[in-house]
Each structure stands twice: as structure tokens, then as C-alpha cells.
Amino acid sequence: MKQFYKVVSQILIVCMVWTPFSIQAGMISTDQVVAGAQDQANRDKVINFVTRGDVVKQLETLGLSASTAKERVSAMTQDEVNRIAGKIDSLPAGADSGGWIAAVLIIGLIIWLVWYKR
Amino acid sequence: MVQAVNLHAGALWRKARLSAGFLLLAALLGGCAGLLPQTYSLREKPPPGLPPKAELKDVPFHAQEDFFCGPAALAMALNAGGVGVTPEALVKQVYLPGRKGSLQIEMLVAARRNGMVAYQLEPRLEDVLREVAAGTPVIVLENYGFRIWPVWHYSVVVGYDLDAGEIIRRSGMNPRQTMPFPVFEYLWKDEDYWAMVATPPGRVPVTATEARYATAVVALEQSGQLRRAQIAYEAMLKRWPTSLAGLMGRGNTAYALKDPVGAESAFRKAAQEHPGAVAALNNLAQILAERGKLGEALATAERAVSLGGPLQPAARATLEEIQQKTRATAQ
């Protein structure tokens, strides 16, 4: 089974690497130039390739209207879409800080007094 | 004999406890540097050339309502860069009701939607301070909870004072909150020291690296803001005059904006500076062909194909098209 997955991912990698560079005469985009200059590690991430439609749906379930969700996803690059897809529930979402500030400040103050001021 | 073994074992045990004690002591002592490494190195080795203090007093303040620190922080950064947008208008672009907060990627995307280059800094306190010293406020993501139970919060760094050991931020309802560096690092470290700036296309962040900045500008180009992307590529070329991404971006935006002369000169420069870059040769061949200079186009395309690499199929397609065109004009 492991072997099977390995073969499938290898095929996928090859497909994904070639798809953006589909054989077409004309200009090569700046995006392709920059992608080519970056490390191959990014290519591996392409395995998690998802459609924008999936991310739009995920945003809708979190309370955005269909049109707003679509607008927001269409402003993302493919790399950004890949990075948030399926993780929108768990990624950090900066929000309120409320009463936590006090508690943390006290902890921080102790660290500061004990250590930074020496 | 038995006693001898016991004695031996006892000695071993004491030795083990002693080493453990030393290890623990070493861990505790080293722990300070390990716990808050950035503050530690800032104190031990102040970065050369960094002014001892700076404060951006002109950065406007937007008090945050409830869960809207994302839109508020972004509005402050964008306003400072000359974009007159309100937090209320940004709620629609970054706030996620189901999460009662805003995602980092959407903060970057929204900065770009408002015409700025959205650049994520390297995870270094020094870089945050350098940006502030250069006049750019920095949005940071802090964790007021714990790793397992996080309470995420965005604030805007607008100043610092190395001698007092303090960082100055606009945060929540507080327009000017000073915080000791160790406290700040403690809050800031959990999401791999996440920090971003939103800069006007004409100004490259002082801590930007070529590759990272190129990615940010390409995203602006892809979003269709061609003129702003063009300005950003020009700024990039001022910082890195022979940058391949910068030269290709200059050519591609010129081409998309129907400026074939500008495109040709940019691709020519790119091919000159980077004779091994298939993309540069391919695009130069393409623009030459479109401008009727078929002989030179043919030679350039052949060179592009001869280089191989992952872009070779595209270069071959371009070459074939030029060959066809040449045959058609010959007839």
C-alpha cells in the first residue's frame, strides 16, 4: 500500500509540476519565474492542491455570504489557497485579548524582573 | 563480592545524580536564552546600526471593538501607508464570523487588495525594529493564552526603546502600550514570530529579501493591479538592479499594459544579465517576433530551447510558432 501511495504521489508531483507550464507558445509569467527560483519543497505541497471552490465553501460555513467568500478567495494566490484549505478551523484567528492581558502581563513582569533587569 | 557490587552501584548512582544535577542546572541557566532567544540576543548583541529608539507617532489609532483587532490593526498599517480605509470597511475583507477573528493569510491578501505590497517579515525581532526605525509600522500576531488554548491577537508595533528595554504598540483599546521586550517575545513567539508590513509599491521594506519580496510583488501582479505591480518591480530593481524576477516582472507588466517597446527592452536586459534563464530568452523571442524582428526572434528562441529545464516545452512551443511565422512570411 505504501508503495502504491508513493507511486501515486510521484505521478501527481510530475503532473502538478507540468500543469502550470502547459505547453503553450507565448510569454512565460513572472509567477513561473519566481516559482522556478524557489525550492522544490513548494512542489511537494502541491499534492494538497485544492480548488478555490472548496475554500469558498469552507468560508461560507464560517458565516460569510457566498459573494463575499468568493470575492475573498479570488483575491488569493494559488499558494495561499493551498495553505489555508482544510485548516480554516484550526489556523490562528487574531481576535480579542480581553482579560487575558492582565494575567499574561503579570507572568511577563516576573520574567522581566527576574531575568532582564538581572 | 556482593557488597563490592553494591558499592560500585552506589557510586554509579551518586555519579548519575550529580550529572543529572549539573544537567538540570545547565538547563535552567541555558533556559533563559532558550526560552526567549530573541530578547536575549538583542540584549547581548544590539544589532549594528539600529537606532537606540524610534517611535512612529503619526500612525493613526483605531480602537478595536470586540473581535475586530484584525481589521483595526490592518487599517492602522494601511492608513500609515497612505490608504484611507476604515476598519469597518476591512471587516468585510478579513473578519471571519465563525472564528470570531481574522486569519493571517487574509490579512496579507486584504493589504494587497488595497493596493499595497503585503510582505511577511522573517521571524526576527531585529527585523521588526528595523522596519519601525525605517518608518513602517509592523502588524504582529500574539498569543495571550497558551499553546494548547490560544487566544490570538493582532497589534501594531510603532516604536521601541532599547535602553528602557521596551516595545511600543497600538493594541486593543490602548493607543500607546509599552511592553518590556521579554513580555513581548513571550506573547509573540507562538506563531513562529509572525509579522507583516503593508508598504506602498514604490517602497521596498528595509529588511526585505529578494526572493520573498518577489513573491509578494508577483501576487500583486496576479491580482490584476498591473500598474502598481510595475511600480513595485521598478522599486525592486532599484534595490536589486539585476534581479531576474524584477526584470521579468517589468517586461511582463509592460507587455500586459500594451507597451511592447518597454517589454522588449526589459526582456533584453533580463536575457543579457541572465543568459541561462529560459524565461528571459523565451519572452524576448516572443516580443521580437510580435514586433516583426523574426531573424533575431528565431535565434533567441533556439537558444532558449537549447537550455533545457522545466520551461523547455514552453520555449519549444514559442520556437515552433516563430518558425511557422517565418515560413509564412517567406512564402
Side-chain angles (χ1 to χ4, degrees), chain B residues 106-327:
Chain B
E106 292 220 277
M107 295 284 283
L108 291 160
V109 173
R112 206 162 61 221
R113 277 177 81 178
N114 286 278
M116 305 293 254
V117 179
Y119 182 77
Q120 189 184 331
L121 299 187
E122 306 261 1
R124 275 197 301 262
L125 181 56
E126 179 189 335
D127 286 18
V128 172
L129 304 186
R130 283 198 190 282
E131 288 301 339
V132 171
T136 312
V138 180
I139 300 176
V140 290
L141 179 66
E142 299 156 349
N143 181 7
Y144 280 83
F146 304 96
R147 260 177 209 277
I148 46 161
W149 186 18
V151 180
W152 300 108
H153 175 70
Y154 291 108
S155 71
V156 182
V157 177
V158 294
Y160 65 86
D161 185 335
L162 291 184
D163 296 328
E166 282 176 345
I167 197 153
I168 305 162
R169 300 142 60 258
R170 308 230 190 293
S171 173
M173 300 302 285
N174 197 335
R176 188 181 186 279
Q177 188 174 50
T178 58
M179 191 180 259
F181 281 124
V183 182
F184 174 68
E185 184 174 358
Y186 177 76
L187 294 175
W188 181 45
K189 64 182 172 27
D190 281 355
E191 182 54 20
D192 193 25
Y193 300 101
W194 190 87
M196 68 169 275
V197 291
T199 48
R203 187 154 58 87
V204 184
V206 283
T207 64
T209 62
E210 189 194 334
R212 265 172 112 103
Y213 194 67
T215 311
V217 179
V218 164
L220 189 68
E221 182 189 341
Q222 283 182 311
S223 76
Q225 305 183 64
L226 296 175
R227 284 198 195 281
R228 298 189 74 88
Q230 195 172 36
I231 296 169
Y233 286 124
E234 292 308 323
M236 236 187 117
L237 288 167
K238 261 189 206 128
R239 173 83 66 91
W240 300 285
T242 58
S243 159
L244 179 62
L247 290 167
M248 292 302 289
R250 175 194 272 172
N252 281 333
T253 47
Y255 181 77
L257 290 164
K258 311 271 181 276
D259 170 19
V261 179
E264 184 185 324
S265 91
F267 292 137
R268 206 177 275 284
K269 177 108 191 280
Q272 227 167 49
E273 297 286 346
H274 304 272
V278 177
L281 292 167
N282 175 82
N283 289 14
L284 177 59
Q286 178 68 23
I287 191 73
L288 287 169
E290 285 181 30
R291 303 195 67 208
K293 308 176 184 176
L294 288 175
E296 197 188 348
L298 201 61
T300 311
E302 275 163 1
R303 237 180 329 135
V305 172
S306 72
L307 290 168
L311 293 170
Q312 194 190 39
R316 183 168 288 132
T318 304
L319 173 63
E320 278 162 12
E321 205 178 79
I322 294 169
Q323 285 167 336
Q324 269 174 16
K325 226 176 184 175
T326 315
R327 275 194 295 271

Side-chain angles (χ1 to χ4, degrees), chain B residues 9-28:
Chain B
L12 265 182
W13 171 241
R14 277 195 300 279
K15 209 173 169 189
R17 283 218 306 185
L18 191 66
S19 339
F22 267 118
L23 275 178
L24 189 68
L25 192 67
L28 280 176

Side-chain angles (χ1 to χ4, degrees), chain A residues 18 21-34 38 59 62-64 68 71-72 75-77 80 83-84 87-97 100-101 104-105 107-109 111-112 115-118, chain B residues 32 39-40 43 64 66-67 69 92-106 109 112-113 144 151-154 180 182-183 187 191 215 218-219 221-222 233 249 252 255 282-283 286 310 313 317-318 321:
Chain A
W18 286 108
F21 311 131
S22 54
I23 306 153
Q24 209 174 28
M27 292 294 176
I28 292 171
S29 70
T30 324
D31 171 44
Q32 278 164 282
V33 176
V34 172
Q38 271 169 1
L59 290 179
L62 289 169
L64 294 187
T68 305
E71 215 176 272
R72 272 158 69 157
M76 292 174 193
T77 63
E80 286 161 343
R83 275 191 287 151
I84 69 167
K87 287 189 286 188
I88 297 176
D89 283 325
S90 57
L91 285 174
D96 198 21
S97 50
W100 290 88
I101 295 177
V104 168
L105 281 186
I107 299 172
L109 200 67
I111 299 176
W112 187 52
W115 177 65
Y116 192 84
K117 287 276 175 181
R118 267 213 281 230
Chain B
C32 293
T39 308
Y40 184 81
R43 195 187 54 175
Q64 165 215 334
D66 291 337
F67 303 112
C69 69
K92 214 184 153 201
Q93 296 183 21
V94 295
Y95 184 64
L96 208 49
R99 292 295 313 277
K100 293 192 166 57
S102 309
L103 304 177
Q104 295 144 283
I105 285 184
E106 292 220 277
V109 173
R112 206 162 61 221
R113 277 177 81 178
Y144 280 83
V151 180
W152 300 108
H153 175 70
Y154 291 108
V183 182
L187 294 175
E191 182 54 20
T215 311
V218 164
E221 182 189 341
Q222 283 182 311
Y233 286 124
N252 281 333
Y255 181 77
N282 175 82
N283 289 14
Q286 178 68 23
T318 304
E321 205 178 79

